[in-house]
Amino acid sequence: MIVNSTPEGSAPRRRSARGEAARERILHAAVEAFAKDGYQGCSLARIASEVGLSQAGLLHHFPTKEDLLAAVLEERDRLDTRRFLADGAEGIEILTALEKLVEYNTYLTGMVQSFTVLAGESTADLHPARDWFQSRYETVRTMIAAELRKGVERGEIHPDTDCTAIAAEIVATIDGLQLQWLLDPKKVDMPTLFRNYTTRLRTAIST
Amino acid sequence: MIVNSTPEGSAPRRRSARGEAARERILHAAVEAFAKDGYQGCSLARIASEVGLSQAGLLHHFPTKEDLLAAVLEERDRLDTRRFLADGAEGIEILTALEKLVEYNTYLTGMVQSFTVLAGESTADLHPARDWFQSRYETVRTMIAAELRKGVERGEIHPDTDCTAIAAEIVATIDGLQLQWLLDPKKVDMPTLFRNYTTRLRTAIST
DNA sequence: GTCTATACTTTGATAGAC
DNA sequence: GTCTATCAAAGTATAGAC
């Protein structure tokens, strides 16, 4: 429904420098607002005032609240993809890359919180982001599973490993740890807990 | 804030049979409504009409929406505790009990979805259920860690196991799998994935 | 215990001036 | 591109009759 509502492949947006900056600022404020109150819990007026705009002014850049949500999700996709491809980890090295990602997320409280709230909300049947999250998880699982399989081919990983299952499990662990970390950052050392997990996983599936 | 807003230890509620039934029905409808639209996304009027009441009629039983939320959370606590204590699993057997719990949750879509949505929402700083979830996770982690430690004492589990870390990891895996399962029940076989995880964990920490 | 009626607030979105 | 003004809708909560 909301996925690809702005085709990635379209021509580069021609906008004035000022307009581009406003768009960016709004986007950033939206991430923070979604994190603070969730999508349903925050108002456009609040986001607008955060960047020194009126509500109507904001709606000039994003015609509806749902458009703003879509833009936030795309932005996240863009960042994640870039970061993930940049790493270029292959085979079992994917685990190390994920450890780094989790470590890195510690510094992105807003983004992580925003996505934890949105992901939870999105399981509601009619939520505008449901389709996006569904296909996103599918994609991420597939990507990780593919690398694990490459690890099997290379002889790094034991052949009778259920790569699909492990992929889902890894993603689950990351999400679950994020939730506990957000609720209690002082008591939950997310990166360490995840490394604890991957270390055990590594020895279990390595040849 | 919201935790223990109705002290568990108070005298058994004296209410007419009809009144009790209404309360129960409302509570049940609320769980479903929170699951469908989240706490912020659903209206009291909708819940009320679901049980054949007017909105004002509902507010007679739960004076505010937040009171209703509190009651739902307490109910969940009650059910979980009963179910968990009933099992009476000790030491490493806690893993088997958790496998059963996850399997059982497959049939409680409403409850699970409701809690996934609420947990996500609750990471928002000002959410009325934040304190409840924070302390609940703390409690659950502590309970599981305690059983694991008992397993160490009994010689079932390897002595240099970080029981606290494993406890957080287990909870994280359960939550994360629930999220993926709710978004795509056909592609994500939650109980099998969890058993896949616990099986590996069991052999890793067993003596 | 339940209803109708209503007060009050907030929200997303539109119209049109500048 | 941004604003003011405004709308219509929906939400929580209260008052008071039955």
Side-chain angles (χ1 to χ4, degrees):
Chain A
M1 181 189 295
I2 218 172
V3 184
N4 291 330
S5 58
T6 302
E8 280 291 340
S10 62
R13 296 189 184 89
R14 309 239 178 261
R15 268 200 201 88
S16 70
R18 282 190 53 203
E20 199 68 51
R23 215 189 126 89
E24 293 297 315
R25 287 206 318 277
I26 293 169
L27 226 43
H28 196 262
V31 169
E32 295 298 324
F34 291 167
K36 264 208 175 62
D37 306 315
Y39 172 70
Q40 287 160 331
C42 79
S43 73
L44 293 176
R46 222 181 67 70
I47 299 176
S49 86
E50 210 77 43
V51 296
L53 277 183
S54 72
Q55 187 224 19
L58 184 156
L59 285 173
H60 171 74
H61 298 275
F62 302 92
T64 72
K65 195 184 183 185
E66 215 166 295
D67 288 330
L68 180 56
L69 172 60
V72 166
L73 298 177
E74 280 167 28
E75 174 73 359
R76 166 76 182 216
D77 243 357
R78 207 175 53 78
L79 290 177
D80 270 16
T81 308
R82 182 204 293 175
R83 195 169 169 76
F84 220 76
L85 296 180
D87 207 300
E90 297 190 337
I92 194 146
E93 278 306 307
I94 189 80
L95 293 182
T96 313
L98 288 168
E99 287 166 3
K100 281 188 212 163
L101 181 68
V102 170
E103 171 97 39
Y104 179 65
N105 279 346
T106 306
Y107 303 100
L108 297 182
T109 320
M111 253 300 180
V112 172
Q113 182 158 348
S114 197
F115 265 71
T116 300
V117 179
L118 288 175
E121 276 185 356
S122 79
T123 64
D125 302 330
L126 311 168
H127 197 279
R130 171 155 184 137
D131 288 354
W132 188 87
F133 274 101
Q134 185 176 325
S135 79
R136 179 155 204 278
Y137 275 106
E138 168 77 13
T139 304
V140 172
R141 283 193 302 258
T142 305
M143 267 178 50
I144 295 178
E147 289 307 330
L148 293 177
R149 262 178 228 111
K150 193 178 289 179
V152 172
E153 288 169 22
R154 290 178 172 187
E156 302 164 345
I157 296 176
H158 206 277
D160 57 0
T161 305
D162 186 341
C163 296
T164 305
I166 302 278
E169 183 190 302
I170 292 172
V171 175
T173 308
I174 293 175
D175 283 339
L177 287 178
Q178 278 175 353
L179 178 61
Q180 292 181 58
W181 171 69
L182 286 170
L183 283 171
D184 214 335
K186 287 176 187 166
K187 285 189 183 145
V188 178
D189 181 353
M190 176 168 72
T192 302
L193 288 169
F194 186 63
R195 245 180 291 114
N196 194 46
Y197 165 72
T198 48
T199 302
R200 182 158 31 78
L201 176 62
R202 211 181 262 110
T203 70
I205 66 176
S206 286
T207 50
Chain B
M1 183 187 295
I2 218 172
V3 184
N4 292 331
S5 56
T6 303
E8 281 289 339
S10 61
R13 295 189 187 91
R14 309 240 177 259
R15 269 202 199 87
S16 69
R18 282 191 52 203
E20 198 68 52
R23 216 190 126 90
E24 292 298 314
R25 288 206 317 277
I26 293 169
L27 224 44
H28 195 261
V31 170
E32 295 298 324
F34 291 167
K36 263 206 176 63
D37 306 315
Y39 172 71
Q40 287 160 333
C42 80
S43 72
L44 293 176
R46 220 179 71 69
I47 298 175
S49 86
E50 211 77 44
V51 296
L53 276 183
S54 72
Q55 187 224 16
L58 185 154
L59 285 174
H60 170 73
H61 299 274
F62 303 92
T64 72
K65 194 183 183 186
E66 213 166 296
D67 289 329
L68 180 56
L69 172 60
V72 166
L73 297 178
E74 279 166 29
E75 175 73 0
R76 166 76 182 215
D77 242 358
R78 207 175 53 80
L79 290 176
D80 269 17
T81 308
R82 183 204 293 176
R83 198 175 164 72
F84 221 75
L85 295 182
D87 206 302
E90 297 190 337
I92 192 141
E93 278 306 306
I94 188 80
L95 293 182
T96 313
L98 288 169
E99 286 166 4
K100 282 189 212 163
L101 181 68
V102 170
E103 172 97 39
Y104 180 66
N105 279 347
T106 306
Y107 303 99
L108 297 182
T109 320
M111 254 299 180
V112 173
Q113 182 159 348
S114 198
F115 265 71
T116 301
V117 179
L118 289 175
E121 275 185 357
S122 79
T123 64
D125 302 329
L126 311 169
H127 196 279
R130 171 153 186 140
D131 288 352
W132 187 88
F133 274 101
Q134 185 176 324
S135 79
R136 179 157 204 277
Y137 274 106
E138 169 77 10
T139 304
V140 172
R141 282 193 303 258
T142 305
M143 268 178 49
I144 295 177
E147 290 306 330
L148 293 177
R149 261 178 228 111
K150 193 179 291 181
V152 172
E153 288 168 22
R154 292 177 169 190
E156 301 164 348
I157 296 176
H158 205 278
D160 57 359
T161 304
D162 186 340
C163 296
T164 305
I166 302 277
E169 184 190 301
I170 291 172
V171 175
T173 308
I174 293 175
D175 283 340
L177 287 178
Q178 278 176 352
L179 178 61
Q180 292 181 57
W181 171 68
L182 287 169
L183 284 170
D184 214 335
K186 288 175 186 168
K187 285 190 183 144
V188 178
D189 181 353
M190 176 169 70
T192 302
L193 288 169
F194 186 63
R195 244 180 292 112
N196 193 47
Y197 164 73
T198 48
T199 303
R200 181 158 30 77
L201 176 61
R202 211 180 262 111
T203 70
I205 66 176
S206 286
T207 48

